């Protein structure tokens, strides 16, 4: 049996293993009375690295969230490990969503736009039927225009995340890196980032998703149940 064919995305598991657990380790277990800065960093890195390799070996699937978590943990931990100026934390916090936004935008110039792969794929929607209806209604060009508009909205949401991440990091994390106060402030920043950044970003993404659904329905005349792949 082809394992890649039976693999189903597990975004909540990916986030827990690749982002939340490593962040908890860095914040709570990297003190000198526990694992220390080096030990905490190595343990935190082990989770996204191990999970990404597991998915790659077992399912032949590249796990983008695991890679993102690995890079994020490595950069955050390195700031504390090498006691770099905490301004680099603000830059790092802004850089990751900014790079994702740039990647989404650049992908529109390739044969594989990320927005199309995310929202308009055969695993979720009846792509063949939708394309047929778009052609019948002469709405293909209109739909492509709406898809590009959604892409700009998504790029804008990542620009918002990058800006807010930078502002939040500069506002909260003021202690020297590598200190206990630095780790505590890092925890506060993570806590505040949910109501101030994650939730608004999630609402934006839900709005974009709804916009695309409505665009497809109007362009094809199909009902919601006709758009979704039948299990």
């Amino acid at each position: 049996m082809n394992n890649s064919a039976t693999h189903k995305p597990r975004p909540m598991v990916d986030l827990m293993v690749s982002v939340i657990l490593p962040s908890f380790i860095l914040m709570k277990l990297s003190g000198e009375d526990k694992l220390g800065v080096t030990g905490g960093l190595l343990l935190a890195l082990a989770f996204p690295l191990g999970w990404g390799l597991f998915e790659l070996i077992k399912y032949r699937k590249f796990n983008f969230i695991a890679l993102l978590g690995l890079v994020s943990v490595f950069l955050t931990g390195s700031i504390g490990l090498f006691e770099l100026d905490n301004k680099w934390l603000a830059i790092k916090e802004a850089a990751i969503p900014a790079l994702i936004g740039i990647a989404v935008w650049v992908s529109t110039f390739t044969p594989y736009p990320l927005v199309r792969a995310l929202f308009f794929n055969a695993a979720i929607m009846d792509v063949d039927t939708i394309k047929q209806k778009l052609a019948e209604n002469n709405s293909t060009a209109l739909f492509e225009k709406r898809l590009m508009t959604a892409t700009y909205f998504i790029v804008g949401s990542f620009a918002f995340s990058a800006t807010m991440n930078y502002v939040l990091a500069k506002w909260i994390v003021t202690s020297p890196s590598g200190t206990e106060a630095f780790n505590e402030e890092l925890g506060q920043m993570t806590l505040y980032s949910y109501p101030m950044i994650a939730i608004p970003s999630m609402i934006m993404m839900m709005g974009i998703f709804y916009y695309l659904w409505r665009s497809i329905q109007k362009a094809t005349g199909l009902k919601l149940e006709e758009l979704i792949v039948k299990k």
Side-chain angles (χ1 to χ4, degrees), residues 2 22 28 77 93 111-112 123 129 141 160 196:
N2 186 355
K28 300 298 183 182
E93 289 294 313
Y112 309 102
T129 300
F160 164 80
M196 294 181 66

Side-chain angles (χ1 to χ4, degrees), residues 6-9 11 15 20 22 64 67-69 71 73-74 116 122 133 149 178 187 195 214 219 228:
T6 60
H7 178 265
K8 293 182 179 180
L15 285 173
I20 297 175
F64 179 74
L67 176 62
L68 186 63
V71 173
V73 170
F74 176 76
R116 181 183 292 275
K133 286 294 182 180
T149 300
R214 291 294 296 165
I228 301 174

